[in-house]
């Protein structure tokens, strides 16, 4: 069974540009979450989607947005990139959006974004 | 005060040592507790999860939750060099709109 797949794995962008990251969840998983990981702040929740609807959102500015498609694949977009956006962006998938013992969250390997 | 605090490390131990990793939290609504292991340049992988208080054992790993003290621990027995990684605690309330809140992680190095 394939895991969570994220593309691209590595990318370098210039300040002011925008970036789109893609995530394919595990087959059958309908919930997709996005996290930002930095050395200073650790793993921080960005947002969660289920059945193409954003169900939960973290404390990030509006430059960070996402969407989910009917096949559960998800994209996140960061506009007007800042140096501080350099981070590992992790996608996670689960069967549904309710965190219960039977609904484990699985992470992809992440997309490393460097803003110069 | 952050919702989840984790010892910052790093931690270096000799092979075969017993390792104790700890997190404290402030949100009494948390009921679902997890430990993730993250190897360098990889995504986190779920190691252990515990629902509510108590202990859970899986091979060399034991997860412990003390809700009265708002304290969780992960014990690694007979540590191996392959255990060298960053360990993250994570927790959440259960139900709709629940989301994982992570500790910052501690990097463990097991010396052969």
């Amino acid at each position: 069974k394939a895991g969570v797949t994220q593309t691209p794995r590595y990318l370098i962008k210039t300040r002011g540009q925008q970036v789109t990251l893609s995530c394919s969840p595990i087959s059958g998983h309908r919930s997709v979450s996005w996290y930002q990981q930095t050395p200073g702040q650790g793993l921080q929740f960005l947002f969660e989607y289920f059945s193409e609807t954003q169900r939960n959102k973290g404390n990030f500015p509006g430059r960070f947005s996402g969407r989910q498609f009917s096949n559960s694949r998800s994209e996140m977009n960061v506009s007007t990139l800042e140096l501080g956006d350099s981070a590992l962006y992790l996608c996670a998938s689960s069967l549904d959006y309710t965190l219960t013992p039977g609904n484990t969250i699985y992470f992809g390997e992440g997309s490393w974004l460097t803003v110069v | 005060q952050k919702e989840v605090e984790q010892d910052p490390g790093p931690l270096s131990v000799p092979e075969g040592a017993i390792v104790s990793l700890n997190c404290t939290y402030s949100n009494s609504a948390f009921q679902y507790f997890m430990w993730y292991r993250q190897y360098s340049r990889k995504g986190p992988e779920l190691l252990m999860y515990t629902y509510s208080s108590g202990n859970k054992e899986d091979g060399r790993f034991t997860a412990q939750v003390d809700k009265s003290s708002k304290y969780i621990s992960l014990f690694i027995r007979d540590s191996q060099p392959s255990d060298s990684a960053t360990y993250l605690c994570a927790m959440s309330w259960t139900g709709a709109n629940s989301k994982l809140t992570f500790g910052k992680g501690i990097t463990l190095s097991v010396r052969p």
Side-chain angles (χ1 to χ4, degrees):
Chain A
K1 185 171 175 180
V4 179
T5 304
Q6 291 187 246
T7 56
R9 289 293 321 278
Y10 303 93
L11 65 166
I12 300 173
K13 290 286 187 178
T14 305
R15 265 184 306 176
Q17 286 187 313
Q18 73 163 14
V19 66
T20 299
L21 309 177
S22 180
C23 172
S24 292
I26 292 172
S27 177
H29 285 193
R30 296 169 62 195
S31 174
V32 173
S33 304
W34 289 89
Y35 293 80
Q36 181 196 64
Q37 187 175 31
T38 58
Q41 297 298 319
L43 258 161
Q44 294 186 286
F45 173 77
L46 279 157
F47 27 65
E48 179 186 15
Y49 288 87
F50 179 81
S51 291
E52 302 177 68
T53 301
Q54 186 181 87
R55 292 198 57 86
N56 210 346
K57 189 178 189 306
N59 190 25
F60 277 81
R63 299 185 298 106
F64 292 82
S65 63
R67 58 178 177 167
Q68 186 181 34
F69 303 96
S70 58
N71 61 359
S72 294
R73 194 176 67 84
S74 178
E75 288 180 348
M76 67 162 282
N77 184 276
V78 188
S79 62
T80 320
L81 284 165
E82 301 176 359
L83 295 179
D85 297 332
S86 295
L88 176 65
Y89 290 88
L90 289 159
C91 171
S93 78
S94 57
L95 286 169
D96 65 45
Y97 57 86
T98 58
L99 277 177
T100 58
N103 184 32
T104 306
I105 292 178
Y106 296 90
F107 283 85
E109 296 202 336
S111 292
W112 288 90
L113 170 65
T114 301
V115 182
V116 297
Chain B
Q1 182 192 12
K2 289 186 75 77
E3 273 192 300
V4 180
E5 302 272 8
Q6 184 172 4
D7 294 340
L11 182 62
S12 179
V13 301
E15 184 175 353
I18 296 174
V19 177
S20 172
L21 307 175
N22 309 296
C23 288
T24 58
Y25 63 96
S26 58
N27 189 341
S28 57
F30 286 152
Q31 293 220 36
Y32 191 27
F33 304 91
M34 282 149 280
W35 286 94
Y36 280 84
R37 178 175 62 193
Q38 186 174 22
Y39 290 113
S40 181
R41 308 195 78 80
K42 298 286 190 181
E45 58 175 325
L46 181 65
L47 201 55
M48 300 281 287
Y49 74 82
T50 310
Y51 180 64
S52 197
S53 281
N55 293 357
K56 186 171 182 179
E57 190 173 316
D58 184 2
R60 297 184 295 110
F61 298 90
T62 299
Q64 199 171 75
V65 174
D66 182 349
K67 291 191 70 181
S68 62
S69 302
K70 296 191 179 70
Y71 190 89
I72 71 170
S73 300
L74 177 71
F75 298 96
I76 306 174
R77 290 183 299 282
D78 187 26
S79 55
Q80 303 294 309
S82 58
D83 295 328
S84 298
T86 297
Y87 290 81
L88 303 126
C89 62
M91 47 198 80
S92 175
W93 59 89
T94 59
N97 295 330
S98 51
K99 65 176 180 67
L100 289 179
T101 301
F102 283 85
K104 280 195 178 180
I106 183 169
T107 298
L108 170 68
S109 175
V110 181
R111 308 185 302 271

